[in-house]
Structure formats: structure tokens, C-alpha cells
Amino acid sequence: MSMIQKEPDIVIKEINERIDDLEKLISLYEQKQDVYNSFNSWRSNVKRTLSENFSEPSISRDFLIETKVVPNKFSRADTISKVGEALQKSKDILSKLKSDVESGKYLPEKSAEDHIDKTMAVTIIRKILKNFHKHIEAMYQDEVHGNGTIKKEDLDKIKIGNEYDVQRILYSLIRPIFPDARFEVVNDAGYASVRYDIVLDEYGIVIEIKCTRENMTERKLTEELGADSFHYEADHLFLFIFDKVKLIKNPDAFEKAFRREKQGFDKELETIIIREITF
């Protein structure tokens, strides 16, 4: 099966450019102008575009075959009619190709063993967040092997100081499983832009990360999380709180207060608090 050879948005942009050129030809045709030669020149440009964007030569080859106009030397009216049909046929073909690219039809197929559905993706993210401290302990706090070149004194220098440090470590755990995960994504919330810490677009998952600090109050943290919960666009929003200074008095009650079902909210909201780490 053919696959696209560039990013989908680039392929769509280039197909749209060819469609825009075609619309101009259609407009001229409707004004009774002769566009036979211009149409053939346009077809050559489309062939080049399709050849550059799709791996299988059949995409461009079939396009040329299906849009070819053989002039009738005995009837100019018949030739003009055929050009009109070819113009419409060309538009239909390119519109269908664009639609297929948008739907992901020409993306490389994922094998069944690699496929992760949304339910599994949510489960994996939840497990990573709930066990974040185990990674910290295993990577930075446990004793190192005597034959290793990584020394404990070097690991002891790594400290979590703020939420940006948490973001970096968490993203490094998520990226190997979800290579398309994006970091610090800016989105327009209507009245102003908002920044999402980690986004998994394919699953509609957003992770917002907070790290408590000495000059923060529990009320301030609640206000920030409330604003994030309201404004962030997601199917499933995780609020991940690294309670570095043990600010939250009752973590269980706090997590329960910031949990919502999608049926009664516009998104699934889940809060996970980690306190077990001593850095």
C-alpha cells in the first residue's frame, strides 16, 4: 500500500495548492475559455506533486490515466465537454486523496502487537504516574553496581527542585512508550493561550504537572488546578502533583476532590499525588 513521504499537514497543503489552481481553471472553463493546454500543464504539476508525496508510483500514474483528455479533431464541442468532465474528475480525485490523508489512510500501519488503544494508554499513563517514585528510587537512590561507570556520588547531585525537573523526568518515561508524545504544547483557549505540560494527541490525553514549594499554600494550589481543569481541552486530563514539601494535608481527600467523570464534566479528570520521595 502507498504511504505518504512527508508529514500529513505538508501533503495536505500541497494538494490544496493544486486544488486551488484547478479552481481557477474551472472558473475560466465556465467563462467559455479554452483551458485544454493549461489543464495539461496543471496535470503535469499534479503528477510531480503526487510523485513527491506518495511512495507508490501508481497514485500519480492512475491520476494521469483517469484525467486524460483525447481531443476529438472532428468536434471541438466534444473536446470541450471532455475537458469539463476531466476538470471535475480531477477535483474529485484530489479531494478524495486529501480526505484519505486526513483520515490517516496513508500512514504506516502499526502492527497489532504495537497497537495501544485509548483504554490501555490511560492505564499505562496512570501506572507511570502512580509509580513515579519507584523510578526515582531505582534510578537515583539505590546503590549502584561496583563495576558500573555511573557513580552514586554523581547521582546524588541530581535533585528535583521544581516542576520543570519533574516534567523532564516524567517525559523521559513516557516518550519510549508513546513516541508521539509532545512536551510543553501551547494551545489557544479562546481568551488567552495555555501551555500543556505533556500531550498525547492520539488519545486526547493531557498531563498537567505541579510541584509544591515552601512559599505555596494549599489554597493557591487548589486555585491553579481548578483553572487548569476548567480551561484545558482534553478527553482525559491527569493532574500530577509532586508534593515535594508535603503541602497537602489529606492527599486522599484532595485526589477525590479533583476527580470527575466525563458524563458530568467535559473531560475525564484524574489527580495523582506523589509524596514518598525524599530528595
Side-chain angles (χ1 to χ4, degrees):
M1 177 181 171
S2 184
M3 294 184 295
I4 53 175
Q5 303 185 109
K6 301 177 185 176
E7 291 298 316
D9 57 337
I10 296 176
V11 177
I12 292 168
K13 175 177 177 292
E14 294 188 9
I15 291 176
N16 276 332
E17 289 172 352
R18 300 290 78 78
I19 292 176
D20 289 343
D21 294 338
L22 177 62
E23 294 285 5
K24 295 174 183 176
L25 289 178
I26 292 174
S27 178
L28 293 174
Y29 176 82
E30 291 173 345
Q31 297 171 33
K32 310 299 183 183
Q33 295 191 35
D34 185 354
V35 297
Y36 176 76
N37 291 331
S38 298
F39 176 58
N40 282 330
S41 177
W42 174 83
R43 288 172 66 242
S44 297
N45 289 335
V46 173
K47 177 183 181 298
R48 183 170 60 254
T49 296
L50 299 181
S51 297
E52 292 173 351
N53 284 284
F54 294 88
S55 61
E56 285 293 326
S58 61
I59 298 289
S60 59
R61 184 180 64 246
D62 290 348
F63 171 80
L64 288 182
I65 293 173
E66 293 185 48
T67 61
K68 183 177 181 180
V69 176
V70 179
N72 186 338
K73 62 181 179 180
F74 301 107
S75 174
R76 183 172 181 272
D78 183 55
T79 300
I80 293 173
S81 176
K82 288 179 178 178
V83 170
E85 293 172 0
L87 287 168
Q88 185 57 52
K89 181 71 172 178
S90 299
K91 185 175 180 179
D92 292 343
I93 292 172
L94 291 188
S95 296
K96 179 65 164 58
L97 269 177
K98 185 178 82 166
S99 177
D100 286 343
V101 172
E102 290 172 336
S103 71
K105 176 179 178 180
Y106 293 103
L107 292 174
E109 292 184 5
K110 295 179 180 179
S111 64
E113 62 188 30
D114 290 336
H115 178 66
I116 298 175
D117 63 23
K118 184 174 180 179
T119 300
M120 181 59 69
V122 170
T123 300
I124 292 171
I125 293 298
R126 181 184 298 120
K127 201 166 186 66
I128 290 174
L129 298 180
K130 284 183 175 292
N131 293 286
F132 180 78
H133 63 288
K134 295 185 185 299
H135 166 73
I136 299 300
E137 291 168 353
M139 180 66 201
Y140 303 105
Q141 297 177 343
D142 289 351
E143 290 299 321
V144 300
H145 195 283
N147 293 329
T149 60
I150 297 176
K151 302 303 179 184
K152 187 66 170 64
E153 54 266 30
D154 295 325
L155 293 174
D156 287 341
K157 295 175 184 178
I158 300 175
K159 306 291 182 183
I160 291 181
N162 55 37
E163 66 187 46
Y164 296 102
D165 300 332
V166 181
Q167 287 174 18
R168 181 181 179 87
I169 295 173
L170 182 59
Y171 184 64
S172 72
L173 292 172
I174 292 173
R175 186 85 191 283
I177 307 171
F178 302 99
D180 294 333
R182 296 193 293 155
F183 187 58
E184 294 191 338
V185 179
V186 177
N187 188 44
D188 186 359
Y191 74 98
S193 61
V194 295
R195 181 183 60 81
Y196 301 156
D197 291 332
I198 300 175
V199 177
L200 280 70
D201 295 289
E202 181 179 356
Y203 306 101
I205 296 174
V206 172
I207 304 170
E208 173 62 15
I209 300 163
K210 298 292 183 184
C211 180
T212 61
R213 54 189 183 275
E214 294 293 347
N215 63 347
M216 174 184 276
T217 64
E218 189 168 348
R219 179 178 179 179
K220 174 63 175 175
L221 175 63
T222 301
E223 289 173 351
E224 290 182 5
L225 293 176
D228 294 341
S229 302
F230 179 78
H231 293 297
Y232 283 16
E233 295 180 1
D235 288 332
H236 199 114
L237 173 61
F238 283 100
L239 300 176
F240 181 60
I241 305 169
F242 182 88
D243 193 8
K244 176 179 171 64
V245 299
K246 294 183 170 57
L247 175 73
I248 300 170
K249 298 181 180 63
N250 188 333
D252 293 329
F254 197 99
E255 287 184 348
K256 185 175 181 180
F258 280 93
R259 182 178 295 122
R260 296 288 186 278
E261 300 293 330
K262 192 169 184 179
Q263 290 84 348
F265 203 45
D266 67 337
K267 61 182 74 72
E268 198 87 14
L269 178 63
E270 188 170 349
T271 301
I272 294 173
I273 299 171
I274 292 295
R275 304 183 72 183
E276 291 90 340
I277 310 163
T278 53
F279 247 169

